[in-house]
Amino acid sequence: MRTRSRITLRRALVSALLLTTSAALPLPAQTTPSRPVPNKQLASRELNAKVDALLRKMTLEEKIGQLVQFSAGFATGPGSEGKNQRFDEMVEKGQVGSFLNVVGADATNHYQHIAMEKSRLHIPILFGLDVIHGHRTTFPIPLAVAASFDPAMGELVARTGAEEARADGVPWVFSPMVDIARDARWGRIIESNGEDPFLSSAMARAWVRGYQQGDLSKPESVAVSVKHYAAYGAAIAGRDYNATDMSQITLRQVYLKPYQAAVEEGAATLMSSFNSINGVPATANPLTLDKILRKEWGFDGFVVSDWGAVGELINHSIGDGPTVARKALTAGVEMDMEGNLYGTTIAAQVRSGKISESVIDEAARRVLRVKFALGLFEHPFAQPSAPYQPTDEKRARTRKVADESIVLLKNDPVEAAGTLLPLKDKNKTVALIGPMADDQADLLGAWAAGDPKYVVTLRKALEEKLGADHVLFAQGCGLLNGQDAQIWAKNGGPQPVADENATINEAVEAAKKADVALVALGEPAGFMEGEAGSRVNLGFTGNQQKLLEDVVATGKPVILLVAAGRPLEIKWAAEHVPAILEAWSPGHEAGHAIVDILSGDVNPSAKLPASLPRAVGQEPLYYAQMPTGRPARNADLSHMPANSEEKYLSRYVDEQNSALFPFGWGLSYTTFGYSNPTVDRASIPVREVMASGHKSLVKVGVDVRNTGSVAGTEVVQLYMRIPNVSVEQPLRELKGFTRVTLNPGESKHVEFPIGFDEMNFYNVDLRQVVEPTTYDLWVGGSSLADAHTTLKVVE
């Protein structure tokens, strides 16, 4: 194995050589200036000396034991229901290194006392848990947090989750999920940061910082497990667990970017994904697990499989049990989650010579590194804590995040009365209608560990704000109807509404009596979102669409609140409802945050991290489209083609190509203007960019002005296109964003630094290069930004 010092010297020599040659010569990715060691704790000599000293004492079976993980509590996955296994003996013999779903001081300390007092070498157990958007305190779902375009919010959610998980005896969380998600049919889009690699990478870094806090040994920090490595979000047809297939350029330039950012931020562990990538299962993929993750990125932590993913390699038809265990381990999956193949098949293969014991040593070494870094050898036990109660501080945290996550999609004027939002007149009567208006569980969102009883519903918050006598509540219908509702009820959902025709009529009558109707719709979070929650229809479930249309037909002004964990198809609503809010799944402070926005106490600032479709047939849908030889230049070309000039284009014959609401979209109660886009250098030599490493070289500037009558926060976004180069690039890509708060009439000059990191792309040789061309740059408030300037890259 080459040492890092040799690699660094080699890179420096190659870089120096390249600077003496033609500027047009492409610079390989591995010869750009090397990054620091991703996690200095895991790479430290002192820590690794302890690890190696312990390894020398361990038997082969004890080393393999460190690679074995079982669930001893609630879980998702086949065979997870009602499990009641006893693992005491395995812990005592050193045959298990980790448990998941064991939560609380009593439960974790039970196993930890056995490990520390009865096992031969006293190696602590590593406890892991899915902590997705908070632990006891539940925040908005990650997709909603990404809508804030504020990495500080992701860091806050992660830090709070870390504090609470560690207090429950859990020092390792299976989060963040950083899969690029461009298909709203895929249920796990709720856990993602959306469709864009730049935004996702920024949020990935923030989540890692929040969880690990720069020091795994801190008593309130936890190790992350960044998931699902890799390209899980590109499942064909949006069907969970399905295969993915893409070019290596797309894999590296789009889908791997957020994982790389998380590793660079010091991520301690990663989780392999269920899918195959170009025919090779991700859980046995030497390209992604070894060549890229370890050799290119310098990752020193370990990789755990997803639930049963090693065993499921048999279904991928790449071998029997022993074979798939060997392939996964040698590819770079160090820990087998609930597969029970490492513990039962690896030792015999080592003794027969099929697997070198050095492979076992390296895998165990990586697991032990994380245990030492977390301080588990010195402080293995959790301290008992009082039962959870949401404090004012915790509620303030989740309310703040939710306030920044709610997107104002539409706010059209209603005749001479102006816009419906904000609701300034507290004397108006509001008809609050819909199944999401008073639903604690589904406002909490999927993958929520928090107790729904702590959720503030929209009904409760609105009655607090306006007074109960100014709110006319009518549920209208359930989230599901018919057989779906009955199945849901048998699986913990609410009882079906007996007569939805009658309840919809009641809602219509409530709307007629009110000054304005607020209709809160969505989808059942725990039943149709998250893992195994793929859908082929993205409209409102059950009778919700009928409810909405009947309320709109009353002629009363209508505000639509969408509370769902994915972009839904709301084209009819966009055409008929004057005001629409996308609230996602807002968590414990759902009602208060929504009312903050409705009342204008908080001016909305969130932007869409994922495009909303006009029709499900557009999926996968994303703004960063590639150019085509026959572009449909008329974005409004939605009618049937009338002639050959309209027909033979890259278009649909029955719908527009564009999103209903595109990435980066989000309105405010004020307006913003952009002017004077500039670059501080009109041109730059390609040689300078190639040699710059990660330094910024050019500043892109723009003047932003609040042109409205109230203070507001705008997310200023920078987009780039790289035309006329050796590999075609997207029509535009996000390359910078920042939040700017301005008073009415106030202006601010905003600047974005760019350099090699923003300007490079992968060429056909899979090298990150910059080539001479003229870069197009746009700055604005969404992916439709139109304040344009250019930057020339010259020979």
Side-chain angles (χ1 to χ4, degrees):
M1 180 180 292
R2 293 177 295 177
T3 64
R4 279 196 175 78
S5 60
R6 288 176 181 170
I7 293 173
T8 303
L9 177 60
R10 173 181 164 280
R11 289 174 174 170
L13 290 171
V14 174
S15 296
L17 176 63
L18 285 165
L19 287 175
T20 66
T21 60
S22 169
L25 183 65
L27 184 66
Q30 61 266 35
T31 61
T32 54
S34 59
R35 298 182 186 273
V37 174
N39 189 308
K40 294 181 180 179
Q41 279 181 291
L42 299 183
S44 75
R45 290 184 179 181
E46 180 181 359
L47 183 147
N48 280 279
K50 293 178 182 179
V51 171
D52 288 339
L54 180 56
L55 272 174
R56 286 192 289 269
K57 300 176 184 178
M58 297 172 72
T59 66
L60 173 62
E61 285 74 14
E62 287 170 332
K63 294 172 189 175
I64 293 172
Q66 291 302 303
L67 316 183
V68 174
Q69 183 186 61
F70 288 105
S71 173
F74 170 80
T76 63
S80 61
E81 301 87 354
K83 293 190 71 171
N84 185 22
Q85 298 186 16
R86 293 186 59 82
F87 298 107
D88 296 24
E89 185 178 342
M90 294 184 70
V91 174
E92 185 173 345
K93 292 180 178 179
Q95 295 174 341
V96 60
S98 174
F99 286 118
L100 69 155
N101 302 316
V102 179
V103 184
D106 289 345
T108 58
N109 287 344
H110 168 78
Y111 292 114
Q112 206 67 288
H113 276 294
I114 297 173
M116 300 307 293
E117 296 164 8
K118 295 184 179 181
S119 71
R120 188 177 76 88
L121 294 175
H122 316 298
I123 301 173
I125 296 293
L126 177 59
F127 297 99
L129 185 70
D130 282 294
V131 177
I132 307 302
H133 48 116
H135 181 47
R136 301 298 185 188
T137 302
T138 303
F139 289 80
I141 57 172
L143 185 64
V145 179
S148 72
F149 277 64
D150 188 351
M153 294 297 97
E155 192 168 345
L156 177 62
V157 177
R159 188 174 75 247
T160 306
E163 294 166 356
E164 294 180 355
R166 200 68 191 256
D168 259 343
V170 177
W172 182 30
V173 297
F174 305 139
S175 179
M177 193 191 95
V178 301
D179 301 311
I180 296 295
R182 292 179 161 181
D183 195 329
R185 295 173 297 180
W186 189 55
R188 301 197 81 164
I189 192 174
I190 77 151
E191 301 170 60
S192 78
N193 296 303
E195 70 184 57
D196 182 77
F198 188 91
L199 174 62
S200 295
S201 296
M203 298 305 293
R205 291 179 181 275
W207 285 87
V208 173
R209 285 195 302 271
Y211 283 129
Q212 298 190 169
Q213 299 176 49
D215 184 353
L216 291 170
S217 67
K218 288 182 177 179
E220 293 184 337
S221 69
V222 296
V224 301
S225 188
V226 179
K227 60 186 187 181
H228 305 84
Y229 189 71
Y232 184 37
I236 293 172
R239 196 173 72 243
D240 211 352
Y241 316 123
N242 205 4
T244 66
D245 200 289
M246 65 184 66
S247 71
Q248 274 218 48
I249 289 178
T250 300
L251 178 67
R252 287 175 176 269
Q253 192 158 311
V254 178
Y255 285 88
L256 293 187
K257 287 293 187 182
Y259 308 113
Q260 183 176 5
V263 169
E264 290 172 356
E265 197 62 39
T269 82
L270 273 71
M271 181 183 291
S272 70
S273 54
F274 290 115
N275 57 287
S276 62
I277 306 171
N278 300 337
V280 182
T283 298
N285 195 314
L287 171 66
T288 54
L289 292 167
D290 185 53
K291 182 179 185 299
I292 294 174
L293 180 60
R294 292 177 173 82
K295 292 184 172 65
E296 295 183 19
W297 298 351
F299 177 66
D300 285 319
F302 72 86
V303 175
V304 61
S305 78
D306 207 334
W307 178 284
V310 173
E312 289 172 16
L313 291 172
I314 298 171
N315 293 336
H316 282 274
S317 298
I318 65 168
D320 59 11
T323 300
V324 300
R326 182 176 69 251
K327 287 185 175 182
L329 182 60
T330 56
V333 173
E334 281 83 18
M335 187 174 286
D336 177 11
M337 180 194 289
E338 269 293 327
N340 199 26
L341 284 179
Y342 284 9
T344 57
T345 71
I346 294 298
Q349 295 187 76
V350 173
R351 292 192 173 98
S352 69
K354 289 185 177 180
I355 302 176
S356 168
E357 190 164 353
S358 64
V359 173
I360 312 303
D361 290 344
E362 178 60 18
R365 178 179 292 112
R366 288 175 175 271
V367 173
L368 291 171
R369 276 179 190 153
V370 174
K371 292 187 176 184
F372 273 108
L374 284 166
L376 295 182
F377 284 86
E378 295 82 6
H379 305 287
F381 304 111
Q383 299 302 311
S385 57
Y388 174 79
Q389 288 289 333
T391 63
D392 290 344
E393 179 191 1
K394 294 290 180 67
R395 284 201 176 276
R397 289 184 188 184
T398 188
R399 185 169 179 170
K400 169 65 174 173
V401 177
D403 281 342
E404 286 197 18
S405 301
I406 298 171
V407 184
L408 178 60
L409 295 177
K410 183 181 179 184
N411 195 24
D412 286 355
V414 181
E415 298 178 349
T419 58
L420 282 179
L421 295 175
L423 293 172
K424 298 176 182 178
D425 188 351
K426 293 184 179 180
N427 293 318
K428 283 188 175 182
T429 299
V430 177
L432 178 59
I433 295 167
M436 294 302 295
D438 202 30
D439 182 338
Q440 289 180 300
D442 289 292
L443 286 170
L444 200 61
W447 277 117
D451 195 326
K453 72 182 181 183
Y454 296 124
V455 173
V456 178
T457 68
L458 176 54
R459 180 183 182 183
K460 177 177 174 59
L462 196 63
E463 288 177 348
E464 288 176 357
K465 186 71 173 180
L466 302 181
D469 56 334
H470 287 284
V471 179
L472 305 177
F473 171 69
Q475 179 178 337
C477 65
L479 287 170
L480 295 175
N481 65 344
Q483 184 180 10
D484 290 343
Q486 294 173 10
I487 293 172
W488 187 24
K490 291 178 181 179
N491 287 274
Q495 290 301 310
V497 176
D499 184 355
E500 292 202 336
N501 287 328
T503 54
I504 289 175
N505 288 336
E506 290 172 4
V508 168
E509 291 305 310
K512 290 178 179 178
K513 296 175 185 177
D515 297 301
V516 60
L518 173 57
V519 183
L521 308 179
E523 63 180 356
F527 193 61
M528 299 185 76
E529 296 176 354
E531 186 173 351
S534 299
R535 294 180 59 187
V536 296
N537 299 304
L538 293 178
F540 292 119
T541 52
N543 275 327
Q544 292 182 94
Q545 183 66 33
K546 173 177 169 51
L547 172 65
L548 177 62
E549 293 183 17
D550 286 359
V551 172
V552 170
T554 65
K556 289 299 180 78
V558 176
I559 302 164
L560 172 63
L561 178 90
V562 182
R566 73 177 99 215
L568 295 181
E569 181 187 328
I570 59 170
K571 182 181 177 183
W572 187 92
E575 293 173 345
H576 296 88
V577 179
I580 305 175
L581 285 169
E582 173 64 79
W584 314 105
S585 300
H588 274 149
E589 283 292 292
H592 285 150
I594 293 168
V595 171
D596 284 343
I597 300 295
L598 289 171
S599 65
D601 290 346
V602 172
N603 195 345
S605 60
K607 304 284 186 174
L608 289 176
S611 302
L612 266 63
R614 297 177 185 275
V616 69
Q618 292 178 293
E619 299 291 345
L621 177 66
Y622 50 96
Y623 79 96
Q625 295 289 313
M626 288 294 187
T628 172
R630 293 187 176 183
R633 301 188 188 280
N634 186 346
D636 295 325
L637 197 64
S638 57
H639 57 267
M640 288 289 289
N643 50 53
S644 60
E645 285 75 17
E646 290 186 357
K647 181 174 177 60
Y648 295 101
L649 303 172
S650 180
R651 55 159 292 183
Y652 301 105
V653 298
D654 56 353
E655 186 52 272
Q656 298 180 43
N657 288 356
S658 62
L660 182 66
F661 296 105
F663 175 86
W665 178 269
L667 302 177
S668 168
Y669 294 146
T670 190
T671 53
F672 299 94
Y674 290 81
S675 61
N676 303 320
T678 60
V679 289
D680 65 351
R681 297 176 65 176
S683 64
I684 187 170
V686 66
R687 182 193 302 265
E688 182 180 348
V689 182
M690 295 292 288
S692 65
H694 307 289
K695 299 177 183 177
S696 62
L697 301 173
V698 180
K699 291 179 181 177
V700 183
V702 70
D703 294 330
V704 185
R705 180 180 177 84
N706 183 338
T707 55
S709 58
V710 296
T713 298
E714 170 74 318
V715 178
V716 184
Q717 302 162 49
L718 169 67
Y719 291 87
M720 176 185 292
R721 184 185 181 189
I722 313 174
N724 303 318
V725 288
S726 59
V727 176
E728 68 179 21
Q729 298 301 304
L731 296 173
R732 59 176 63 191
E733 296 178 285
L734 183 71
K735 294 297 181 179
F737 62 88
T738 188
R739 292 171 59 88
V740 178
T741 300
L742 298 171
N743 291 317
E746 183 182 2
S747 295
K748 184 173 182 179
H749 184 70
V750 177
E751 291 184 337
F752 295 96
I754 61 173
F756 178 82
D757 285 344
E758 292 77 23
M759 297 171 68
N760 79 83
F761 61 92
Y762 282 87
N763 69 6
V764 292
D765 298 319
L766 298 181
R767 294 175 175 176
Q768 287 177 277
V769 298
V770 173
E771 295 175 354
T773 190
T774 298
Y775 284 64
D776 286 302
L777 302 162
W778 296 269
V779 186
S782 77
S783 55
L784 303 178
D786 58 6
H788 178 255
T789 189
T790 59
L791 170 66
K792 290 185 177 180
V793 176
V794 297
E795 290 283 2

